[in-house]
Amino acid sequence: MSETLIEVADNAGVVRLTLSRPKALNALNSAVLSELAGVLDELEQRDDLRAVLITGAGEKSFVAGADIAEMRDKTPEQARAFAGQALKTIKRLETLPVPVVALVNGFCLGGGCELALACDWAVASDNAIFGQPEVLLGVIPGFGGTQRLPRRVGPAMAIDLVTTGRKIDAQEALRIGLVNRVMPQAELEAYAEELTKQLGGNGPEAVRGAKQAVHDGLDQDLDSALALETSLFALCFAGEEQREGMSAFVEKRQPNF
Ligand code: CO8
């Protein structure tokens, strides 16, 4: 039987994925990407999905990049196929209809940083190290980094990072908007639990609608995006969540979604 490279834990619809190749600092090879695609096949079918948290096994690394040993001898065609496999899988993670959160517990380099960039937001341990060091290996980012990084941190900072290959610490990642929060590694677990409660307790359709409005709106001009928000807002009033949420407020009780 082949080794499990992704541990999947489900807590009432909040699914936690732990990428687990600790001996290679959880580097992404084609086997991990295939397994992730299989996990996504299942998650995409689930109506009860509320959120996805993604992290790396161990205390040293989230993901230290694409697997360099696997890439070393690739031809241009094989490199294109590998990048294509990664891009497709990462896009599927990004477009899950629920919030996807990266819990960055250490090295977050190259393909690892690109994976985190495809998540809706990222929380980092204070020992986390970020970077797009591909130019140090004679290549450029190939899992979306040249496109998602400037969209998150702006073109000047993105070009700085992808052309120097320099590594930045968690505080700098916070300052440039690459991550949303930084906390001691020991607190990451408690944060994950808090997030599980928070995201698990909110109106699931509203959470999905909020994510959809932000994602789909970003690709449109402002007027079209505002019209999209109005449509999605109005749609909330067609379901039961809005009545329950607002009734709970008026009746001074907790909502039961
Ligand atoms: N790929 C494969 N193995 C890795 C990787 C990686 N990205 N990173 C670490 N490892 C392995 C090491 O080889 C080592 O294995 P072994 O014990 O068998 O020698 C083990 O993990 C532990 O690593 P180190 O001994 O190096 O640990 P250190 O604490 O000394 O250093 C670092 C940690 C700084 C993270 C260091 O391992 C490092 O620099 N890693 C590489 C980081 C990197 O350059 N990442 C970017 C990779 S390129 C990329 O992601 C491009 C994506 C686009 C691809 C396009 C498609 C073709």
Side-chain angles (χ1 to χ4, degrees):
M1 215 171 79
S2 61
E3 190 190 1
T4 298
L5 300 169
I6 304 178
E7 294 153 27
V8 182
D10 186 346
N11 187 345
V14 179
V15 171
R16 182 162 169 167
L17 307 180
T18 305
L19 305 179
S20 185
R21 281 188 79 209
K23 285 184 188 149
L25 302 184
N26 306 320
L28 297 173
N29 61 10
S30 42
V32 177
L33 290 168
S34 297
E35 200 167 310
L36 183 56
V39 170
L40 289 166
D41 285 341
E42 288 179 21
L43 295 184
E44 284 166 351
Q45 300 305 316
R46 285 184 54 173
D47 293 334
D48 66 330
L49 191 65
R50 297 223 170 184
V52 173
L53 313 182
I54 183 159
T55 192
E59 297 200 337
K60 187 170 171 182
S61 182
F62 172 69
V63 170
D67 192 304
I68 299 168
E70 188 181 283
M71 281 185 296
R72 186 178 60 172
D73 295 324
K74 285 195 188 304
T75 63
E77 289 70 29
Q78 289 166 335
R80 179 186 286 277
F82 183 49
Q85 177 194 20
L87 279 179
K88 187 172 168 205
T89 307
I90 288 174
K91 180 81 181 172
R92 286 176 65 196
L93 180 73
E94 181 177 46
T95 53
L96 281 173
V98 298
V100 179
V101 183
L103 301 173
V104 179
N105 56 316
F107 288 115
C108 184
L109 299 171
C113 193
E114 293 168 296
L115 179 69
L117 282 166
C119 295
D120 291 306
W121 78 85
V123 176
S125 58
D126 53 10
N127 66 335
I129 300 286
F130 296 81
Q132 297 288 165
E134 286 84 351
V135 287
L136 307 179
L137 299 165
V139 294
I140 69 168
F143 291 0
T146 63
Q147 303 310 310
R148 289 194 179 94
L149 189 60
R151 283 167 169 78
R152 180 137 331 160
V153 304
M157 183 54 78
I159 291 175
D160 168 349
L161 293 174
V162 301
T163 60
T164 64
R166 73 184 174 92
K167 298 183 179 65
I168 60 173
D169 63 18
Q171 286 304 334
E172 185 169 357
L174 181 66
R175 207 164 50 244
I176 67 173
L178 183 52
V179 301
N180 299 54
R181 296 188 200 193
V182 176
M183 59 190 65
Q185 186 155 55
E187 289 173 24
L188 213 54
E189 197 51 42
Y191 174 78
E193 274 171 34
E194 183 194 318
L195 204 57
T196 298
K197 270 198 207 125
Q198 225 176 4
L199 291 171
N202 292 339
E205 291 305 324
V207 170
R208 285 173 178 238
K211 171 167 174 170
Q212 189 189 344
V214 173
H215 272 259
D216 293 357
L218 278 174
D219 293 330
Q220 301 180 15
D221 64 81
L222 184 60
D223 284 342
S224 310
L226 291 172
L228 169 73
E229 182 190 78
T230 304
S231 300
L232 290 167
F233 173 72
L235 199 61
C236 294
F237 289 74
E240 287 165 16
E241 273 179 33
Q242 168 269 336
R243 188 155 294 275
E244 169 59 12
M246 293 189 176
S247 298
F249 176 81
V250 171
E251 293 160 17
K252 301 192 187 309
R253 62 176 174 81
Q254 288 298 312
N256 182 14
F257 291 120

